[in-house]
């Protein structure tokens, strides 16, 4: 019940935060039209998968900018799933305006209202796993949604990021955080006080392997996937892990 109440509170916070997608609709539409949301690491690791024109499900699709980019990069279609009605409505409007094969479903992952074996690629990342209270349930849902030999791709904030301060002179470890904690309150989240669940790399890889996925690649990178405007943090200067990628295949 506690996890359910936290998920509900986070959903309310995310609905509020997603109003940004409505206020900045024209700017986000222009960004989506460029297809530049996918970074070079993603394009490189997904090149072979996208060359086969996969049908994609994007779990926790958020602002939906990655979805047109996936279509432009070769995907036949993308279904975005997010628990924010505001986010999916804005994303669907953008997709329709751009004329790309993307559609959106409002649902709380891992309870995705789509049939078994619906996708050749499940894509997730850029601030998604932190909203999942049950990593094993998520991993099993990924397997359920994938066709045999289908792929999962994750590009996310590194689990250690929660430890770094945003000091400009030297990177420091926050004294109120632990890499092995189960959750923390995000004091920088625009919803103010949303609870993030913490999953370390070992837990992520193990959950997917137990669910029936073959791990093909895990990479760690110094560059964060997102930098808050106006902030220059020493933790981002190339010495610490700030993002990671994972490519896996359903057995």
């Amino acid at each position: 019940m506690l996890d359910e109440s936290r998920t509900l509170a986070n959903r309310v916070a995310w609905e509020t935060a997603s109003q940004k997608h409505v206020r900045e609709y024209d700017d986000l539409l222009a960004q989506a039209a460029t297809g530049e949301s996918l970074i070079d690491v993603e394009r490189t690791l997904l090149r072979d998968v996208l060359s086969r024109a996969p049908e994609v499900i994007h779990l926790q699709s958020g602002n939906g900018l990655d979805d047109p980019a996936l279509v432009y990069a070769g995907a036949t279609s993308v279904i975005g799933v997010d628990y924010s009605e505001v986010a999916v409505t804005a994303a669907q409007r953008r997709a329709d305006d751009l004329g790309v094969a993307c559609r959106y479903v409002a649902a709380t992952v891992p309870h995705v209202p789509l049939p078994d074996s619906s996708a050749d690629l499940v894509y997730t990342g850029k601030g998604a796993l932190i909203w999942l209270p049950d990593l094993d349930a998520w991993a099993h849902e990924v397997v359920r949604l994938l066709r045999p030999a289908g792929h999962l791709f994750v590009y996310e904030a590194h689990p250690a990021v929660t430890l770094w301060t945003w000091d400009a002179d030297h990177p420091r470890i926050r004294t109120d955080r632990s890499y092995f904690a189960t959750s923390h309150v995000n004091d920088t989240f625009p919803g103010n006080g949303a609870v993030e669940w913490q999953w370390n790399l070992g837990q992520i890889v193990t959950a997917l392997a137990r669910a029936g996925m073959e791990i093909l690649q895990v990479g760690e990178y110094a560059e964060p996937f997102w930098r808050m405007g106006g902030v220059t943090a020493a933790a981002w200067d190339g010495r610490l892990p700030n993002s990671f990628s994972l490519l896996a295949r359903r057995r």
Side-chain angles (χ1 to χ4, degrees):
M1 290 299 294
L2 179 59
D3 286 350
E4 291 179 7
S5 64
R6 286 179 174 176
T7 297
L8 178 59
N10 283 352
R11 180 175 182 176
V12 171
W14 195 245
E15 291 286 16
T16 301
S18 295
Q19 291 293 337
K20 176 182 175 70
H21 307 158
V22 178
R23 293 192 303 270
E24 300 177 5
Y25 181 83
D26 290 341
D27 289 343
L28 292 172
L29 179 64
Q31 291 179 47
T34 68
E36 295 178 355
S37 178
L38 294 182
I39 67 167
D40 289 343
V41 167
E42 295 180 281
R43 292 179 184 278
T44 298
L45 293 172
L46 285 173
R47 183 174 293 121
D48 289 344
V49 177
L50 291 172
S51 71
R52 303 178 199 131
E55 293 182 302
V56 182
I57 294 175
H58 181 180
L59 298 182
Q60 299 166 276
S61 52
N63 61 25
L65 293 183
D66 293 323
D67 306 324
L70 286 165
V71 173
Y72 297 149
T76 296
S77 62
V78 180
I79 300 175
V81 182
D82 196 89
Y83 63 8
S84 168
E85 291 276 2
V86 173
V88 300
T89 299
Q92 187 66 69
R93 179 185 169 196
R94 279 196 304 276
D96 293 344
D97 285 347
L98 292 171
V100 291
C102 300
R103 70 179 179 91
Y104 293 87
V105 177
T108 301
V109 177
H111 309 294
V112 179
L114 296 172
D116 296 355
S117 302
S118 293
D120 306 298
L121 169 65
V122 169
Y123 172 94
T124 192
K126 298 173 181 165
L129 299 185
I130 56 176
W131 306 118
L132 295 171
D134 189 334
L135 199 65
D136 287 322
W138 165 78
H140 284 283
E141 186 74 335
V142 167
V143 172
R144 184 186 73 79
L145 292 169
L146 282 173
R147 295 172 183 135
H151 288 80
L152 165 71
F153 182 75
V154 175
Y155 179 75
E156 263 286 11
H158 195 283
V161 162
T162 186
L163 302 178
W164 313 146
T165 68
W166 286 1
D167 294 315
D169 57 348
H170 296 290
R172 296 180 176 87
I173 294 177
R174 293 182 57 147
T175 59
D176 61 336
R177 299 277 176 86
S178 166
Y179 183 73
F180 300 103
T182 57
S183 66
H184 68 271
V185 175
N186 187 337
D187 50 17
T188 64
F189 182 76
N192 187 20
V195 174
E196 292 186 6
W197 281 272
Q198 294 180 215
W199 305 108
N200 60 52
L201 277 180
Q203 290 172 311
I204 295 167
V205 169
T206 299
L208 290 168
R210 279 197 304 238
M213 299 293 291
E214 176 188 5
I215 308 301
L216 303 177
Q217 183 272 354
V218 177
E220 298 173 279
Y221 314 101
E223 179 64 22
F225 76 81
W226 173 77
R227 294 172 179 251
M228 178 173 279
V231 175
T232 302
W236 303 338
D237 69 2
R239 290 178 287 170
L240 298 173
N242 282 289
S243 58
F244 80 96
S245 64
L246 184 150
L247 182 65
R249 179 171 53 212
R250 179 184 167 184
R251 293 194 183 97

